[in-house]
Amino acid sequence: MSTRRKESARPWWQTEVFYQIYPRSFADSDGDGVGDINGVIERLDYLEWLGIGGIWFNPVMPSPNHDWGYDVADYCDVHPDLGTLEDVDRLVGAADKRGMKIIFDIVPNHTSDQHEWFRDALTSRDARYRNYYVWADPIKDGGPPNNWLSVFGGSAWEWHEPTGQYYLHNFLDTQPDLDWWNEDVRNEFDRILSFWFNRGIAGFRIDVAHGLIKDKALRDNLSTTDDDHPRARALAQQQTYSANRPEVHEIFKRWRKLSDAYDPQRILIGETFVYDLTRWAEFYGSGADELNLAFNFPFALGKFDVEHLKQVVRTSDEIIPPEAWPVWMASNHDIGRAMTRWCNDDPARGRVMMMLLLTLRGSPFVYYGEELGMPATPLESDQLKDPVGIRPWADDEGRDAARTPMQWSPEPGGGFTTADAEPWLPFGDLDAVNVEGQRGDPDSFLEFTRSLIRLRRQSFDLTDGAYVEGKGPAGMWVFKRGEKTVVAMNMSDDIATVQGVEGTVRASTTPGGIDEHAQGRLDLPPWSGVVVVE
Ligand code: NOJ
């Protein structure tokens, strides 16, 4: 694996770079236009070449795909479009040979309405699995038990006429929420986690981690105020009681014990979709007894503005317990591609974004294609597949623009599928951005990303070193990592100068310049950055 000069005593998940794969969109091995596990196995050499240490897969379990895998019909199997359990075993083995670990997505907040638990729950109020879900009686006028709204729109309650009660769904009505007050549900998930751990899965990204448990008394949510995050305001109410309950921490303490009992190399990563950093930090518990990593949405959903992001990073660094470890991502399958959202498709900005991700203190997650500077793909409304984009009242185009196939080559099929196959989502601009065109070109985005990952893996400062914010002019982000590594990024439209940086330039967002000596004064062009080792 890595050839760091000074060996890190940290676990792999604190030093390695992660890569997120949306399995339907990464590589299609059987020509049906849908990516699959075997396709990923065929591309592991690429990920090893890139320098990846851990791969997070979006859900691979059987699902009617109303929410593309986030509506699980069986937690212990694989969707036939994506492969088989034997393919998973081969994937784990093939990744292990290359020094990579596999992280699966687990969706414990809700199941699919096709899951056998829910099918049974619908049969009667006394059904065996009825209480796996959140059921409530109507209020006097027959209306839903409280004011909770679904994240995907409308009431979060669906009336079930045959049994005369409402069931809760914080997402689609085909995604009924599980009742995490029920000990049987907790036991089921202990078994599910163990099932995958026993197959060699190194950990889980936990869907809706902040939301598993609901207010027992089902109190009404509070309204949003002007102080709330714009995303929270879009829902028109705070998820005061329909999510974000303190009892969720008990669940993760239990999971952490289970995970650590396997071996301390297993990890739990939370989709901790909260907007304030104090609440985010709570998911680390003492620093060693809850989640290993908690995704930082205040960072990822922030503006690509130097002062704003500095503030988030500074506070995040200060606020988490000393034993806890940060994690950074800029893009994912929900929030879109930062290359477009943050960088307006400008490769110079994209390189600065990549430099930031790969040099901050904490574990970076690269979203598939991000290493190439792949932008979001504009889609026509009749091409959309995401329920969020196609719901009748949708006011945006949903999340498909960030989920289009990986762009491997400019040929028909894009190296993703066969030339005659119809990809499940259309390709972006294959000619403009693809692996084949960039690999081997020292000035390409891909080679830039790869060289940064290499530098990071070889540098004890970058993997382990403390983060200390430095001084610079407006628009400039300067920080020191460890004893002698300085990162300076000009995140403005004007040339900017930083003083007092001496050493060898080890990475630069602009082609050339590597190994030059910085002699105290550094003039950085607009949207550029360097890593200097003193
Ligand atoms: C978060 C997932 O990332 C998203 O894709 C999904 O729609 C919701 N959770 C519901 O599972």
Side-chain angles (χ1 to χ4, degrees):
M1 272 232 283
S2 70
T3 51
R4 258 176 240 125
R5 270 158 274 151
K6 183 172 163 193
E7 264 317 307
S8 172
R10 293 188 176 279
W12 72 274
W13 51 270
Q14 296 187 354
T15 58
E16 295 290 341
V17 175
F18 286 83
Y19 191 88
Q20 181 189 346
I21 287 184
Y22 198 75
R24 297 181 70 83
S25 293
F26 195 63
D28 169 21
S29 69
D30 55 8
D32 62 358
V34 176
D36 45 49
I37 291 172
N38 283 329
V40 177
I41 296 174
E42 287 167 10
R43 297 292 186 175
L44 285 178
D45 286 341
Y46 166 76
L47 296 176
E48 184 186 17
W49 170 83
L50 187 57
I52 299 304
I55 309 170
W56 157 30
F57 278 67
N58 288 100
V60 297
M61 291 132 192
S63 162
N65 281 336
H66 294 162
D67 189 19
W68 300 105
Y70 285 99
D71 45 332
V72 176
D74 179 352
Y75 286 95
C76 297
D77 207 344
V78 176
H79 194 295
D81 283 358
L82 305 178
T84 62
L85 283 171
E86 289 66 42
D87 294 338
V88 171
D89 295 342
R90 288 194 310 110
L91 168 74
V92 169
D96 188 56
K97 265 197 212 119
R98 294 164 174 84
M100 288 184 271
K101 307 221 188 267
I102 304 297
I103 309 295
F104 270 4
D105 220 307
I106 187 88
V107 188
N109 181 67
H110 46 267
T111 68
S112 156
D113 64 347
Q114 301 303 309
H115 194 289
E116 61 169 30
W117 298 335
F118 193 67
R119 285 169 181 267
D120 170 79
L122 290 180
T123 58
S124 86
R125 287 200 187 195
D126 303 323
R128 170 156 179 226
Y129 294 106
R130 178 78 171 184
N131 294 333
Y132 273 35
Y133 296 89
V134 185
W135 292 93
D137 292 333
I139 54 168
K140 279 203 196 80
D141 72 354
N146 63 27
N147 72 349
W148 295 357
L149 295 174
S150 154
V151 173
F152 288 166
S155 168
W157 295 98
E158 184 70 16
W159 175 244
H160 185 242
E161 179 67 37
T163 56
Q165 281 191 311
Y166 283 92
Y167 67 85
L168 178 70
H169 60 92
N170 267 322
F171 295 90
L172 299 174
D173 59 6
T174 52
Q175 293 171 297
D177 277 47
L178 286 162
D179 183 358
W180 276 89
W181 289 101
N182 184 338
E183 188 63 20
D184 292 340
V185 169
R186 297 182 187 214
N187 291 332
E188 294 280 5
F189 274 85
D190 288 352
R191 281 193 284 276
I192 292 164
L193 298 184
S194 302
F195 173 84
W196 292 108
F197 277 147
N198 288 337
R199 291 197 104 93
I201 294 301
F204 298 94
R205 175 269 191 188
I206 305 160
D207 192 57
V208 197
H210 57 290
L212 304 194
I213 198 152
K214 283 75 185 171
D215 183 47
K216 213 170 192 171
L218 306 180
R219 282 171 283 183
D220 274 351
N221 279 335
L222 305 179
S223 306
T224 44
T225 69
D226 289 348
D227 294 337
D228 280 304
H229 191 279
R231 284 214 173 213
R233 288 210 303 272
L235 188 63
Q237 66 181 205
Q238 297 174 352
Q239 288 193 295
T240 337
Y241 296 110
S242 57
N244 300 311
R245 302 314 300 152
E247 295 87 358
V248 78
H249 297 288
E250 294 309 314
I251 300 169
F252 295 139
K253 287 203 168 77
R254 171 179 176 140
W255 283 21
R256 180 66 179 259
K257 281 201 193 109
L258 189 154
S259 154
D260 281 354
Y262 269 84
D263 68 60
Q265 302 296 327
R266 311 284 171 132
I267 55 164
L268 301 172
I269 308 165
E271 189 213 11
T272 42
F273 213 119
V274 294
Y275 304 108
D276 102 79
L277 289 171
T278 310
R279 193 168 274 171
W280 161 76
E282 287 168 3
F283 286 93
Y284 285 102
S286 69
D289 65 350
E290 280 198 43
L291 301 182
N292 302 79
L293 298 172
F295 278 127
N296 190 324
F297 284 91
F299 174 83
L301 296 174
K303 290 185 297 248
F304 195 47
D305 167 83
V306 61
E307 291 311 319
H308 173 76
L309 290 182
K310 263 189 207 172
Q311 161 81 39
V312 175
V313 168
R314 190 187 309 131
T315 311
S316 303
D317 211 56
E318 284 163 9
I319 211 170
I320 52 172
E323 264 192 83
W325 192 246
V327 50
W328 306 107
M329 54 104 174
S331 310
N332 74 19
H333 63 291
D334 293 328
I335 65 172
R337 292 190 175 277
M339 183 64 190
T340 299
R341 196 166 40 83
W342 269 1
C343 307
N344 306 327
D345 297 353
D346 169 18
R349 285 170 205 237
R351 286 177 189 229
V352 171
M353 185 250 302
M354 190 57 82
M355 181 169 274
L356 177 65
L357 267 187
L358 293 173
T359 57
L360 282 174
R361 185 182 87 99
S363 306
F365 271 69
V366 174
Y367 186 52
Y368 77 99
E370 194 159 54
E371 72 277 22
L372 307 170
M374 187 171 149
T377 303
L379 297 169
E380 301 297 331
S381 56
D382 62 354
Q383 296 175 315
L384 301 180
K385 296 279 199 314
D386 174 21
V388 171
I390 55 185
R391 57 197 169 160
W393 57 89
D395 52 8
D396 62 43
E397 69 283 5
R399 303 168 291 185
D400 291 312
R403 299 177 177 181
T404 57
M406 177 68 173
Q407 298 175 192
W408 295 100
S409 80
E411 279 88 51
F416 162 73
T417 186
T418 50
D420 52 348
E422 180 77 25
W424 83 286
L425 276 175
F427 291 112
D429 188 343
L430 289 176
D431 289 323
V433 177
N434 66 75
V435 174
E436 204 177 278
Q438 295 194 19
R439 193 166 169 170
D441 170 0
D443 295 342
S444 69
F445 202 114
L446 175 60
E447 292 289 348
F448 166 71
T449 305
R450 180 175 180 246
S451 65
L452 264 182
I453 295 177
R454 191 173 337 112
L455 177 67
R456 191 191 143 88
R457 291 181 114 187
Q458 289 169 353
S459 159
F460 185 81
D461 276 354
L462 286 178
T463 51
D464 288 55
Y467 167 89
V468 179
E469 199 179 303
K471 286 197 173 42
M476 184 83 108
W477 194 344
V478 185
F479 57 84
K480 192 160 184 181
R481 294 293 320 283
E483 284 169 22
K484 48 191 173 56
T485 303
V486 176
V487 181
M489 288 170 300
N490 178 3
M491 297 172 65
S492 81
D493 295 332
D494 304 307
I495 195 160
T497 302
V498 61
Q499 305 283 355
V501 182
E502 267 185 65
T504 310
V505 176
R506 291 285 179 218
S508 170
T509 58
T510 43
I514 304 292
D515 292 338
E516 274 174 18
H517 203 72
Q519 313 253 19
R521 180 195 159 103
L522 262 181
D523 292 315
L524 289 179
W527 294 102
S528 71
V530 288
V531 179
V532 175
V533 179
E534 290 170 354

